[in-house]
Structures are given as structure tokens and as C-alpha cells.
Amino acid sequence: MLNGIVIDQEGTLSTVQIDSTTSQTRLAGMYKALDCDLVDVVRLADGIDCWVDDEGLYNAGFNPVLTRMTNRTRFTSPLLGAGLFLGVNEATGETVSLTAEQQAVVVGWWRDATSGALAVAL
């Protein structure tokens, strides 16, 4: 099982577990978590990836919270729809669970992105 964090279209944070038994079950879990049919990855700092709907431009609206969160470590285009944060083994590129430390980092980004001062900045 992969442990991750989802930020939905409204900016709400929730935890998620994804079956990683096979690449097919992993993709199916990612599709379900993001409510989509295709995914793409935004590579962030410290072994954290943000997976998004590859067709978000057509299927979803702008997600200001997710965009502010990902902009903490690198400038990204505006992101649309939900985002799924998972870890990555930087040596192999394999998708892995977020560590406890990475979970705390993502939650910190979310807190910053949803606080009054930063929320008005975007």
C-alpha cells in the first residue's frame, strides 16, 4: 500500500492509501483518488511528487490551493483539479509512500496555502 495525501478541487486535504501490488492496481488507485482517467506528475523537491489529472484543463477547474502548494518548491503552471502527493525513490523513479517527514512537509504547504495572508497573494 502507498500512503499519500490528496488535495481535492476545493482545497480539502485527506489521506489516501493506494494498492501498489501491481502497476495496474497502483494506476487504478491513482485514477480513483484523482477521479480521472489519465495522470501526469509534477516533480517537486525532497522526493515528493504531485500527481494530477492529465486532462484537467478539459475536466476540472483551477485549484488555487494546489497551485500555491506546488509553487513552494518550483514554479508550476496553474494546476486544475485534485492533486495526489506521493513519494518517489529518486534513484529509481519508483513511486513510493510519503514518509512521515514528507507528510509533515505537505501538510505544512497546505497550511501555508490555506492561511489568510498567503491565500490572498495568488
Side-chain angles (χ1 to χ4, degrees):
M1 290 296 232
L2 296 176
N3 296 310
I5 294 176
V6 172
I7 306 300
D8 70 14
Q9 177 69 47
E10 289 75 38
T12 303
L13 179 146
S14 61
T15 59
V16 65
Q17 287 192 322
I18 294 175
D19 182 355
S20 61
T21 306
T22 68
S23 58
Q24 290 83 8
T25 59
R26 181 174 41 246
L27 271 175
M30 294 168 85
Y31 295 155
K32 182 178 178 186
L34 294 170
D35 189 26
C36 70
D37 298 316
L38 296 170
V39 292
D40 200 356
V41 67
V42 177
R43 182 82 15 115
L44 302 171
D46 302 319
I48 300 172
D49 281 346
C50 180
W51 293 86
V52 295
D53 181 353
D54 194 42
E55 298 178 315
L57 182 61
Y58 308 108
N59 299 328
F62 173 58
N63 189 329
V65 171
L66 185 61
T67 301
R68 283 191 292 270
M69 290 175 69
T70 57
N71 282 343
R72 300 280 301 177
T73 65
R74 65 172 275 195
F75 178 75
T76 60
S77 298
L79 297 176
L80 299 105
L84 169 62
F85 290 89
L86 291 169
V88 61
N89 178 324
E90 293 181 289
T92 65
E94 179 182 359
T95 299
V96 296
S97 288
L98 290 172
T99 65
E101 293 81 16
Q102 289 170 325
Q103 289 176 10
V105 167
V106 172
V107 169
W109 292 343
W110 177 78
R111 285 186 178 138
D112 288 346
T114 57
S115 72
L118 186 58
V120 173
L122 183 66

